[in-house]
PDB file of all heavy atoms in Angstrom:
ATOM      1  N   SER A 769      18.486 -23.310 -37.570  1.00  0.00           N
ATOM      2  CA  SER A 769      19.199 -23.964 -38.659  1.00  0.00           C
ATOM      3  C   SER A 769      20.578 -24.451 -38.243  1.00  0.00           C
ATOM      4  O   SER A 769      21.317 -24.976 -39.064  1.00  0.00           O
ATOM      5  CB  SER A 769      19.340 -22.993 -39.841  1.00  0.00           C
ATOM      6  OG  SER A 769      20.086 -21.855 -39.452  1.00  0.00           O
ATOM      7  N   LEU A 770      20.936 -24.262 -36.986  1.00  0.00           N
ATOM      8  CA  LEU A 770      22.280 -24.622 -36.532  1.00  0.00           C
ATOM      9  C   LEU A 770      22.291 -25.982 -35.849  1.00  0.00           C
ATOM     10  O   LEU A 770      21.310 -26.387 -35.231  1.00  0.00           O
ATOM     11  CB  LEU A 770      22.814 -23.573 -35.545  1.00  0.00           C
ATOM     12  CG  LEU A 770      22.938 -22.140 -36.040  1.00  0.00           C
ATOM     13  CD1 LEU A 770      23.560 -21.276 -34.964  1.00  0.00           C
ATOM     14  CD2 LEU A 770      23.757 -22.075 -37.319  1.00  0.00           C
ATOM     15  N   HIS A 771      23.440 -26.666 -35.937  1.00  0.00           N
ATOM     16  CA  HIS A 771      23.634 -27.871 -35.148  1.00  0.00           C
ATOM     17  C   HIS A 771      23.515 -27.496 -33.666  1.00  0.00           C
ATOM     18  O   HIS A 771      23.987 -26.445 -33.242  1.00  0.00           O
ATOM     19  CB  HIS A 771      25.013 -28.472 -35.410  1.00  0.00           C
ATOM     20  CG  HIS A 771      25.163 -29.058 -36.779  1.00  0.00           C
ATOM     21  ND1 HIS A 771      24.177 -29.808 -37.388  1.00  0.00           N
ATOM     22  CD2 HIS A 771      26.188 -28.997 -37.676  1.00  0.00           C
ATOM     23  CE1 HIS A 771      24.587 -30.191 -38.576  1.00  0.00           C
ATOM     24  NE2 HIS A 771      25.796 -29.704 -38.783  1.00  0.00           N
ATOM     25  N   GLU A 772      22.908 -28.378 -32.899  1.00  0.00           N
ATOM     26  CA  GLU A 772      22.645 -28.066 -31.496  1.00  0.00           C
ATOM     27  C   GLU A 772      23.927 -27.735 -30.738  1.00  0.00           C
ATOM     28  O   GLU A 772      23.966 -26.793 -29.941  1.00  0.00           O
ATOM     29  CB  GLU A 772      21.933 -29.250 -30.839  1.00  0.00           C
ATOM     30  CG  GLU A 772      21.518 -28.977 -29.402  1.00  0.00           C
ATOM     31  CD  GLU A 772      20.823 -30.166 -28.771  1.00  0.00           C
ATOM     32  OE1 GLU A 772      21.418 -31.272 -28.796  1.00  0.00           O
ATOM     33  OE2 GLU A 772      19.704 -29.996 -28.275  1.00  0.00           O
ATOM     34  N   ARG A 773      24.986 -28.484 -30.995  1.00  0.00           N
ATOM     35  CA  ARG A 773      26.244 -28.263 -30.270  1.00  0.00           C
ATOM     36  C   ARG A 773      26.858 -26.911 -30.633  1.00  0.00           C
ATOM     37  O   ARG A 773      27.401 -26.214 -29.778  1.00  0.00           O
ATOM     38  CB  ARG A 773      27.246 -29.379 -30.585  1.00  0.00           C
ATOM     39  CG  ARG A 773      26.766 -30.766 -30.181  1.00  0.00           C
ATOM     40  CD  ARG A 773      26.934 -30.970 -28.697  1.00  0.00           C
ATOM     41  NE  ARG A 773      26.358 -32.226 -28.244  1.00  0.00           N
ATOM     42  CZ  ARG A 773      26.899 -32.978 -27.301  1.00  0.00           C
ATOM     43  NH1 ARG A 773      28.020 -32.608 -26.720  1.00  0.00           N
ATOM     44  NH2 ARG A 773      26.308 -34.089 -26.918  1.00  0.00           N
ATOM     45  N   LEU A 774      26.772 -26.559 -31.902  1.00  0.00           N
ATOM     46  CA  LEU A 774      27.324 -25.281 -32.338  1.00  0.00           C
ATOM     47  C   LEU A 774      26.531 -24.124 -31.733  1.00  0.00           C
ATOM     48  O   LEU A 774      27.105 -23.134 -31.260  1.00  0.00           O
ATOM     49  CB  LEU A 774      27.299 -25.205 -33.866  1.00  0.00           C
ATOM     50  CG  LEU A 774      27.897 -23.957 -34.499  1.00  0.00           C
ATOM     51  CD1 LEU A 774      29.359 -23.785 -34.106  1.00  0.00           C
ATOM     52  CD2 LEU A 774      27.770 -24.020 -36.025  1.00  0.00           C
ATOM     53  N   ALA A 775      25.207 -24.257 -31.732  1.00  0.00           N
ATOM     54  CA  ALA A 775      24.375 -23.215 -31.123  1.00  0.00           C
ATOM     55  C   ALA A 775      24.669 -23.100 -29.627  1.00  0.00           C
ATOM     56  O   ALA A 775      24.704 -21.996 -29.071  1.00  0.00           O
ATOM     57  CB  ALA A 775      22.897 -23.531 -31.352  1.00  0.00           C
ATOM     58  N   ALA A 776      24.900 -24.230 -28.983  1.00  0.00           N
ATOM     59  CA  ALA A 776      25.209 -24.204 -27.545  1.00  0.00           C
ATOM     60  C   ALA A 776      26.536 -23.497 -27.283  1.00  0.00           C
ATOM     61  O   ALA A 776      26.663 -22.713 -26.338  1.00  0.00           O
ATOM     62  CB  ALA A 776      25.249 -25.628 -26.995  1.00  0.00           C
ATOM     63  N   GLN A 777      27.530 -23.773 -28.122  1.00  0.00           N
ATOM     64  CA  GLN A 777      28.816 -23.091 -27.960  1.00  0.00           C
ATOM     65  C   GLN A 777      28.666 -21.586 -28.161  1.00  0.00           C
ATOM     66  O   GLN A 777      29.253 -20.781 -27.418  1.00  0.00           O
ATOM     67  CB  GLN A 777      29.829 -23.649 -28.958  1.00  0.00           C
ATOM     68  CG  GLN A 777      31.223 -23.024 -28.841  1.00  0.00           C
ATOM     69  CD  GLN A 777      31.834 -23.241 -27.476  1.00  0.00           C
ATOM     70  OE1 GLN A 777      31.957 -24.365 -27.022  1.00  0.00           O
ATOM     71  NE2 GLN A 777      32.219 -22.159 -26.805  1.00  0.00           N
ATOM     72  N   ALA A 778      27.871 -21.206 -29.147  1.00  0.00           N
ATOM     73  CA  ALA A 778      27.642 -19.781 -29.378  1.00  0.00           C
ATOM     74  C   ALA A 778      26.944 -19.140 -28.183  1.00  0.00           C
ATOM     75  O   ALA A 778      27.284 -18.029 -27.763  1.00  0.00           O
ATOM     76  CB  ALA A 778      26.804 -19.592 -30.648  1.00  0.00           C
ATOM     77  N   ARG A 779      25.980 -19.844 -27.614  1.00  0.00           N
ATOM     78  CA  ARG A 779      25.248 -19.276 -26.468  1.00  0.00           C
ATOM     79  C   ARG A 779      26.152 -19.173 -25.237  1.00  0.00           C
ATOM     80  O   ARG A 779      26.073 -18.199 -24.482  1.00  0.00           O
ATOM     81  CB  ARG A 779      24.013 -20.120 -26.157  1.00  0.00           C
ATOM     82  CG  ARG A 779      23.017 -19.383 -25.257  1.00  0.00           C
ATOM     83  CD  ARG A 779      21.712 -20.130 -25.124  1.00  0.00           C
ATOM     84  NE  ARG A 779      21.021 -20.348 -26.360  1.00  0.00           N
ATOM     85  CZ  ARG A 779      20.324 -19.410 -27.009  1.00  0.00           C
ATOM     86  NH1 ARG A 779      20.276 -18.174 -26.538  1.00  0.00           N
ATOM     87  NH2 ARG A 779      19.699 -19.705 -28.138  1.00  0.00           N
ATOM     88  N   LEU A 780      27.010 -20.160 -25.033  1.00  0.00           N
ATOM     89  CA  LEU A 780      27.946 -20.099 -23.912  1.00  0.00           C
ATOM     90  C   LEU A 780      28.880 -18.895 -24.061  1.00  0.00           C
ATOM     91  O   LEU A 780      29.117 -18.146 -23.106  1.00  0.00           O
ATOM     92  CB  LEU A 780      28.759 -21.392 -23.843  1.00  0.00           C
ATOM     93  CG  LEU A 780      29.853 -21.453 -22.776  1.00  0.00           C
ATOM     94  CD1 LEU A 780      29.258 -21.351 -21.377  1.00  0.00           C
ATOM     95  CD2 LEU A 780      30.673 -22.736 -22.924  1.00  0.00           C
ATOM     96  N   THR A 781      29.400 -18.716 -25.270  1.00  0.00           N
ATOM     97  CA  THR A 781      30.305 -17.588 -25.515  1.00  0.00           C
ATOM     98  C   THR A 781      29.577 -16.265 -25.355  1.00  0.00           C
ATOM     99  O   THR A 781      30.124 -15.298 -24.810  1.00  0.00           O
ATOM    100  CB  THR A 781      30.915 -17.701 -26.919  1.00  0.00           C
ATOM    101  OG1 THR A 781      31.445 -19.020 -27.118  1.00  0.00           O
ATOM    102  CG2 THR A 781      32.028 -16.696 -27.113  1.00  0.00           C
ATOM    103  N   LEU A 782      28.331 -16.210 -25.831  1.00  0.00           N
ATOM    104  CA  LEU A 782      27.535 -14.987 -25.680  1.00  0.00           C
ATOM    105  C   LEU A 782      27.285 -14.689 -24.206  1.00  0.00           C
ATOM    106  O   LEU A 782      27.427 -13.536 -23.757  1.00  0.00           O
ATOM    107  CB  LEU A 782      26.206 -15.136 -26.420  1.00  0.00           C
ATOM    108  CG  LEU A 782      25.182 -14.017 -26.196  1.00  0.00           C
ATOM    109  CD1 LEU A 782      25.739 -12.665 -26.632  1.00  0.00           C
ATOM    110  CD2 LEU A 782      23.882 -14.327 -26.924  1.00  0.00           C
ATOM    111  N   ALA A 783      26.908 -15.692 -23.452  1.00  0.00           N
ATOM    112  CA  ALA A 783      26.630 -15.483 -22.030  1.00  0.00           C
ATOM    113  C   ALA A 783      27.866 -14.952 -21.309  1.00  0.00           C
ATOM    114  O   ALA A 783      27.779 -14.020 -20.494  1.00  0.00           O
ATOM    115  CB  ALA A 783      26.159 -16.789 -21.398  1.00  0.00           C
ATOM    116  N   ARG A 784      29.009 -15.518 -21.614  1.00  0.00           N
ATOM    117  CA  ARG A 784      30.241 -15.040 -20.982  1.00  0.00           C
ATOM    118  C   ARG A 784      30.590 -13.626 -21.432  1.00  0.00           C
ATOM    119  O   ARG A 784      31.090 -12.812 -20.652  1.00  0.00           O
ATOM    120  CB  ARG A 784      31.387 -16.003 -21.304  1.00  0.00           C
ATOM    121  CG  ARG A 784      31.265 -17.332 -20.571  1.00  0.00           C
ATOM    122  CD  ARG A 784      32.276 -18.354 -21.059  1.00  0.00           C
ATOM    123  NE  ARG A 784      32.303 -19.545 -20.206  1.00  0.00           N
ATOM    124  CZ  ARG A 784      32.957 -20.651 -20.504  1.00  0.00           C
ATOM    125  NH1 ARG A 784      33.623 -20.748 -21.646  1.00  0.00           N
ATOM    126  NH2 ARG A 784      32.931 -21.691 -19.679  1.00  0.00           N
ATOM    127  N   GLY A 785      30.317 -13.329 -22.708  1.00  0.00           N
ATOM    128  CA  GLY A 785      30.582 -11.989 -23.195  1.00  0.00           C
ATOM    129  C   GLY A 785      29.701 -10.946 -22.537  1.00  0.00           C
ATOM    130  O   GLY A 785      30.156  -9.850 -22.177  1.00  0.00           O
ATOM    131  N   LEU A 786      28.434 -11.263 -22.382  1.00  0.00           N
ATOM    132  CA  LEU A 786      27.521 -10.351 -21.693  1.00  0.00           C
ATOM    133  C   LEU A 786      27.960 -10.127 -20.253  1.00  0.00           C
ATOM    134  O   LEU A 786      27.874  -9.015 -19.720  1.00  0.00           O
ATOM    135  CB  LEU A 786      26.099 -10.908 -21.740  1.00  0.00           C
ATOM    136  CG  LEU A 786      25.408 -10.867 -23.112  1.00  0.00           C
ATOM    137  CD1 LEU A 786      24.171 -11.761 -23.103  1.00  0.00           C
ATOM    138  CD2 LEU A 786      25.042  -9.438 -23.481  1.00  0.00           C
ATOM    139  N   ARG A 787      28.420 -11.185 -19.608  1.00  0.00           N
ATOM    140  CA  ARG A 787      28.911 -11.050 -18.236  1.00  0.00           C
ATOM    141  C   ARG A 787      30.140 -10.148 -18.193  1.00  0.00           C
ATOM    142  O   ARG A 787      30.286  -9.316 -17.287  1.00  0.00           O
ATOM    143  CB  ARG A 787      29.229 -12.424 -17.669  1.00  0.00           C
ATOM    144  CG  ARG A 787      29.570 -12.416 -16.177  1.00  0.00           C
ATOM    145  CD  ARG A 787      29.676 -13.827 -15.645  1.00  0.00           C
ATOM    146  NE  ARG A 787      30.718 -14.595 -16.322  1.00  0.00           N
ATOM    147  CZ  ARG A 787      30.791 -15.919 -16.314  1.00  0.00           C
ATOM    148  NH1 ARG A 787      29.878 -16.633 -15.689  1.00  0.00           N
ATOM    149  NH2 ARG A 787      31.768 -16.547 -16.945  1.00  0.00           N
ATOM    150  N   GLU A 788      31.003 -10.291 -19.185  1.00  0.00           N
ATOM    151  CA  GLU A 788      32.180  -9.436 -19.259  1.00  0.00           C
ATOM    152  C   GLU A 788      31.787  -7.968 -19.397  1.00  0.00           C
ATOM    153  O   GLU A 788      32.465  -7.077 -18.888  1.00  0.00           O
ATOM    154  CB  GLU A 788      33.047  -9.866 -20.455  1.00  0.00           C
ATOM    155  CG  GLU A 788      34.370  -9.164 -20.563  1.00  0.00           C
ATOM    156  CD  GLU A 788      35.382  -9.630 -19.540  1.00  0.00           C
ATOM    157  OE1 GLU A 788      35.204 -10.725 -18.970  1.00  0.00           O
ATOM    158  OE2 GLU A 788      36.341  -8.881 -19.308  1.00  0.00           O
TER     159      GLU A 788
END
Side-chain angles (χ1 to χ4, degrees):
S769 61
L770 300 184
H771 291 318
E772 185 180 54
R773 299 282 174 143
L774 183 59
Q777 182 60 56
R779 196 171 300 283
L780 176 63
T781 310
L782 172 60
R784 288 171 171 171
L786 289 165
R787 188 172 60 199
E788 186 74 19

